[in-house]
Amino acid sequence: MAQILITGVSSGIGHALAAEYLSRGASVYGTSRRTPDDLTSNSAFRFVPLDLTEFDQVGAGFDTLLDGVARLDLVILNAGILGPFGDLAEQSLDDMKHVLDVNVWANKVVLDAVYRQVDEVRQVVTISSGAAVNGHRGWGGYALSKAALNMLTMLYAAEQPDTHFCALAPGVVETSMQDYLNGLPEDERYPSLDSLRSKRDTSEMPSPAELAPRLVDAISQLPERIRSGQFADIRKPPLAGATA
């Protein structure tokens, strides 16, 4: 039975991935601030509620979550937030620091806790974004945090050569983040918002449940297709077309 750790399992991609892996017979260890009640009835799902930005509590939380676990086949660091959208000059340092706390530093704290607790970690996937490399106007702290997450992933890959690491962009997904972005007023400064609006209610913006099987298949192929530590986008080579 595969043993998989996923952060941010209460909604969105994290919840859909947890449900998909459970349906495939895996044992899933999950954490998020809110409890996913529909998953906790599954005996193969172990859950501990955590706010990952409470850094001093993460270690103890993972001691409980991973008690008795000697091997993890896969760690998916999915928990993240968008933060305010708009020009950098309009965003406060406090808001941007919070985005980096959630999207970057919480993942460092989690990884350190995992490696202290577990003897063998075979694969780590950090959920990144095209925003990490596109540089589109308006993405501010989110883009900065995902670019930093990509480098965090590369650095841990160098430090943990027995684990395969990848920062993976899952593409555009119909989540609550899209509700916020699509609800913003039209603004010619941010053409990327128009692109998002054009994808809504099309196959280019699947729901998390629709995406999950393809994402799971892509993750399984990463060790063969991606050099450890690198960034990959599910929509682009070498992954595009590899997961029907």
Side-chain angles (χ1 to χ4, degrees):
M1 179 182 291
Q3 300 201 105
I4 298 168
L5 168 68
I6 306 174
T7 65
V9 294
S10 62
S11 63
I13 294 174
H15 181 274
L17 284 173
E20 181 67 20
Y21 278 114
L22 287 168
S23 74
R24 298 188 185 204
S27 178
V28 176
Y29 304 87
T31 187
S32 53
R33 288 183 301 165
R34 292 175 286 112
T35 302
D37 293 326
D38 61 322
L39 299 180
T40 54
S41 60
N42 190 317
S43 61
F45 182 70
R46 184 190 295 182
F47 176 80
V48 170
L50 276 175
D51 181 341
L52 297 180
T53 61
E54 298 290 340
F55 298 142
D56 58 347
Q57 298 178 22
V58 170
F62 274 83
D63 285 348
T64 300
L65 180 62
L66 300 176
D67 183 39
V69 177
R71 183 199 83 247
L72 284 171
D73 296 289
L74 173 63
V75 174
I76 301 177
L77 300 180
N78 160 77
I81 60 171
L82 172 65
F85 186 92
D87 283 358
L88 288 173
E90 300 169 358
Q91 298 186 23
S92 73
L93 279 178
D94 284 343
D95 284 342
M96 295 176 71
K97 286 177 180 177
H98 180 61
V99 174
L100 266 76
D101 278 348
V102 176
N103 293 357
V104 183
W105 304 128
N107 289 318
K108 173 195 157 29
V109 175
V110 168
L111 282 171
D112 292 344
V114 167
Y115 278 103
R116 281 194 301 268
Q117 181 84 355
V118 179
D119 294 332
E120 180 184 3
V121 181
R122 294 180 176 175
Q123 185 179 6
V124 172
V125 173
T126 60
I127 298 299
S128 186
S129 169
V133 296
N134 292 337
H136 292 319
R137 184 175 181 175
W139 292 87
Y142 182 77
L144 288 169
S145 72
K146 292 300 185 178
L149 180 65
N150 286 5
M151 181 54 68
L152 184 82
T153 305
M154 185 178 292
L155 292 171
Y156 269 98
E159 295 177 15
Q160 300 289 346
D162 293 331
T163 305
H164 186 275
F165 281 80
C166 180
L168 179 63
V172 181
V173 189
E174 181 65 74
T175 65
S176 58
M177 186 174 87
Q178 299 301 332
D179 292 334
Y180 165 73
L181 291 170
N182 280 269
L184 293 172
E186 293 191 13
D187 191 322
E188 63 182 11
R189 295 178 297 170
Y190 309 126
S192 63
L193 291 181
D194 293 331
S195 176
L196 285 177
R197 291 186 180 103
S198 71
K199 291 178 172 63
R200 208 158 199 201
D201 299 321
T202 76
S203 60
E204 293 186 78
M205 189 182 289
S207 69
E210 291 169 335
L211 176 68
R214 181 176 171 223
L215 196 54
V216 167
D217 291 343
I219 287 171
S220 71
Q221 297 181 43
L222 291 176
E224 288 74 42
R225 293 179 176 270
I226 303 294
R227 182 159 50 90
S228 184
Q230 297 303 296
F231 169 78
D233 191 317
I234 196 172
R235 300 163 293 184
K236 299 178 181 179
L239 295 180
T243 55

